[in-house]
């Protein structure tokens, strides 16, 4: 297992032999190099967001108006970053957020597998997207000892939805994350300007195309008639989910079920009342709705509303200090999104591992310096709005 805290020592010691890191040490550098590494269409799809990207920017800038409060004389060398999620203890409080085009972010076109290998190497769980270049079973088989979760984009066809969930369960995923904020695609000027939507070009549909129920809806197989298969996918992609659907969704599996995209405490409370096991606060990285609140500003209120279930969080996390702030505001675990896609673009599995190690090493050192040796120490007193 990778040791996160040792990264700083490792880098300085290597420097004594004249070796400097080949991969970026700051998010700004990572982003710049990923832009050079990715094909332009993939870059704008990943980096872009909805509308004029105000929400996407706010997801980032909002972290700046939260400040951690340093506490002294609480130094400890036996720091513990582990968290418990649905009965499993994970070594760190971060996870890999679902990224539907991670498959095409690596040069070999198997970025989902590369990410799963990074998850296996680090113990950082992956939330595998419905939209993958390799079928969900193949992704699961690369996860090694690290438990994974499956993210469901609920299709309009209920039997296809049930099939996807059953396959995820059979493949060994430990929970289902149902994304609620993407039953239609947000207005994305960068992609519209280039008429580029990767899935409509047949990318990242392997889980669908390998699904027996989806295939039964086609006259010809996706191999024989990919055009019709893609259009059929596009027609059934997003079920307009309403509260009345929740009991049915919940009945599809006995695995823990998490709902993603919740930003209002009433929605969180109601979902938990209706049997949902975890709440995932997210604004989808500002890719879906523009003109909204920053996700980090929604977190504390949602977390306070559902004290008895895990609260996952993503949107705008770029550094270890962002992770620590989200934990202090009530997250149980914090999702890394675009940064690992950029790591994958630069160096596949090694790039994803590098991004996770840098973020976690910074989080660990920050907790050390600021006097919060364990995650349990990071309560509301640890953070203030400036
Ligand atoms: C290129 C891209 C593809 C994504 N695909 C999915 C997906 O398939 N399912 C999903 O629930 N969220 C998806 N997301 C949203 C992420 O899970 C996460 O909410 C978002 O990336 C967080 O914002 P950040 O990357 O700016 O931190 C995607 C995000 C990006 C950037
Ligand atoms: O790009 C996304 O964020 C995403 O997850 C998605 C995938 C398919 C349709 C709409 C959004």
């Amino acid at each position: 297992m990778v040791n996160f805290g040792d990264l700083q020592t490792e880098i300085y010691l290597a420097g004594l032999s004249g070796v400097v890191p080949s991969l970026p040490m700051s998010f700004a550098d990572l982003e710049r190099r990923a832009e050079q590494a990715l094909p332009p269409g993939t870059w704008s799809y990943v980096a872009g967001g909805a509308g004029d990207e105000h929400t996407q920017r706010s997801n980032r800038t909002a972290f700046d108006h939260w400040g951690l409060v340093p506490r002294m004389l609480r130094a400890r060398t036996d720091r513990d970053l582990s968290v418990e999620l649905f009965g499993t203890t994970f070594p760190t409080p971060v996870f890999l957020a679902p990224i539907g085009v991670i498959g095409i972010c690596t040069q070999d076109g198997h970025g989902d597998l590369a990410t799963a290998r990074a998850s296996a190497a680090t113990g950082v769980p992956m939330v595998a997207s419905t939209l993958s270049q390799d079928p969900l079973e193949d992704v699961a088989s690369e996860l090694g000892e690290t438990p994974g979760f499956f993210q469901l984009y609920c299709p309009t066809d209920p039997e296809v939805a049930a099939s996807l969930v059953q396959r995820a369960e059979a493949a060994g995923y430990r929970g289902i994350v149902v994304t609620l904020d993407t039953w239609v695609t947000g207005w994305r000027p960068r992609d519209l300007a280039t008429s580029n939507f990767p899935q409509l070009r047949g990318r990242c549909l392997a889980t669908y195309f390998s699904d027996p129920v989806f295939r039964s809806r086609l006259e010809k197989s996706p191999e024989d008639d990919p055009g019709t298969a893609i259009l059929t996918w596009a027609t059934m992609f997003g079920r307009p989910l309403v509260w009345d659907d929740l009991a049915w969704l919940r009945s599809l599996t006995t695995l823990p079920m998490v709902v993603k995209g919740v930003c209002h405490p009433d929605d969180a409370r109601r979902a938990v009342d209706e049997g949902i096991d975890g709440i995932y606060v997210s604004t989808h990285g500002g890719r879906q709705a523009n003109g909204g609140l920053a996700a980090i500003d929604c977190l504390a209120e949602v977390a306070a509303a559902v004290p008895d279930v895990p609260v996952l969080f993503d949107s705008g996390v770029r550094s270890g200090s962002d992770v620590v702030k989200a934990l202090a505001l009530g997250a149980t675990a914090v999702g890394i999104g675009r940064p690992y896609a950029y790591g994958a673009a630069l160096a596949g599995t090694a790039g994803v591992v590098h991004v996770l190690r840098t973020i976690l090493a910074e989080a660990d050192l920050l907790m050390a310096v600021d006097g919060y040796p364990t995650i349990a120490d990071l309560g509301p007193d640890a953070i203030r709005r400036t």
Side-chain angles (χ1 to χ4, degrees):
M1 193 63 64
V2 176
N3 189 332
F4 300 103
D6 290 347
L7 179 62
Q8 189 186 49
T9 314
E10 191 183 303
I11 290 172
Y12 287 140
L13 285 179
L16 301 178
S17 331
V19 178
V20 295
S22 60
L23 290 166
M25 294 308 300
S26 70
F27 178 73
D29 199 17
L30 175 69
E31 193 176 39
R32 193 178 49 76
R33 284 173 60 180
E35 180 173 6
Q36 290 158 3
L38 285 167
T42 309
W43 161 256
S44 18
Y45 183 79
V46 177
D52 69 357
E53 301 179 353
H54 173 82
T55 300
Q56 187 177 335
R57 279 190 302 281
S58 299
N59 279 339
R60 289 284 321 121
T61 54
F63 274 95
D64 294 339
H65 58 237
W66 291 101
L68 293 160
V69 186
R71 300 299 303 273
M72 293 300 119
L73 291 168
R74 307 205 305 196
R76 260 170 60 182
T77 53
D78 61 337
R79 290 182 303 280
D80 182 4
L81 265 68
S82 68
V83 292
E84 200 198 295
L85 265 186
F86 310 119
T88 303
T89 302
F90 290 92
T92 79
V94 305
F95 64 93
L96 294 150
I99 291 197
V101 293
I102 194 66
I104 55 169
C105 289
T106 54
Q107 285 177 5
D108 67 356
H110 295 285
D112 305 277
L113 303 184
T115 304
R117 289 180 195 124
S119 172
T122 56
V124 171
M126 171 180 185
V127 183
S129 172
T130 301
L131 300 171
S132 52
Q133 279 280 88
D134 287 280
L136 65 86
E137 292 83 1
D138 295 8
V139 180
S141 70
E142 296 294 338
L143 292 172
E145 301 292 301
T146 308
F149 299 88
F150 179 72
Q151 177 265 330
L152 179 72
Y153 275 138
C154 187
T156 54
D157 184 328
E159 287 170 24
V160 175
S163 176
L164 294 173
V165 171
Q166 276 155 23
R167 285 172 62 193
E169 201 167 327
Y173 291 96
R174 301 284 186 86
I176 305 291
V177 174
V178 184
T179 300
L180 301 179
D181 60 17
T182 310
W183 59 278
V184 288
T185 310
W187 181 257
R188 300 180 183 179
R190 292 204 216 192
D191 301 330
L192 292 164
T194 49
S195 312
N196 176 41
F197 206 81
Q199 287 81 14
L200 289 178
R201 298 176 181 204
R203 322 299 288 276
C204 310
L205 298 178
T207 285
Y208 262 89
F209 285 7
S210 59
D211 189 84
V213 182
F214 176 75
R215 292 173 75 95
S216 76
R217 304 301 193 248
L218 305 169
E219 272 172 37
K220 287 188 191 157
S221 73
E223 298 75 42
D224 289 338
D225 184 1
T228 304
I230 292 167
L231 283 179
T232 307
W233 168 78
T235 317
M236 77 160 71
F237 168 71
R239 185 179 170 97
L241 288 168
V242 293
W243 284 107
D244 280 348
D245 293 309
L246 207 56
W248 161 72
L249 264 174
R250 180 60 281 193
S251 76
L252 294 178
T253 179
T254 54
L255 288 175
M257 186 172 274
V258 175
V259 284
K260 178 170 186 271
V262 173
C263 292
H264 195 291
D266 291 350
D267 291 348
R269 258 187 296 263
R270 181 161 176 191
V272 172
D273 286 348
E274 298 198 16
I276 293 299
D277 307 283
I279 297 295
Y280 190 151
V281 177
S282 168
T283 57
H284 209 106
R287 302 168 64 76
Q288 281 297 97
N290 192 34
L293 293 169
I296 192 70
D297 288 338
C298 301
L299 177 56
E301 219 184 330
V302 172
V306 288
D308 300 327
V309 302
V311 174
L312 310 188
F313 169 81
D314 77 23
S315 293
V317 176
R318 300 290 177 264
S319 67
S321 70
D322 295 342
V323 169
V324 178
K325 286 178 184 180
L327 293 170
L329 288 167
T332 313
V334 181
I336 311 300
R338 289 182 177 96
Y340 87 80
Y342 299 158
L346 293 186
T349 297
V352 176
V353 169
H354 172 80
V355 165
L356 293 173
R357 286 190 83 193
T358 51
I359 289 174
L360 284 162
E362 189 194 348
D364 175 57
L365 288 170
L366 182 60
M367 287 169 68
V369 174
D370 271 351
Y372 300 100
T374 73
I375 290 170
D377 298 312
L378 277 171
D381 288 349
I383 192 156
R384 287 211 197 122
R385 207 185 156 102
T386 56

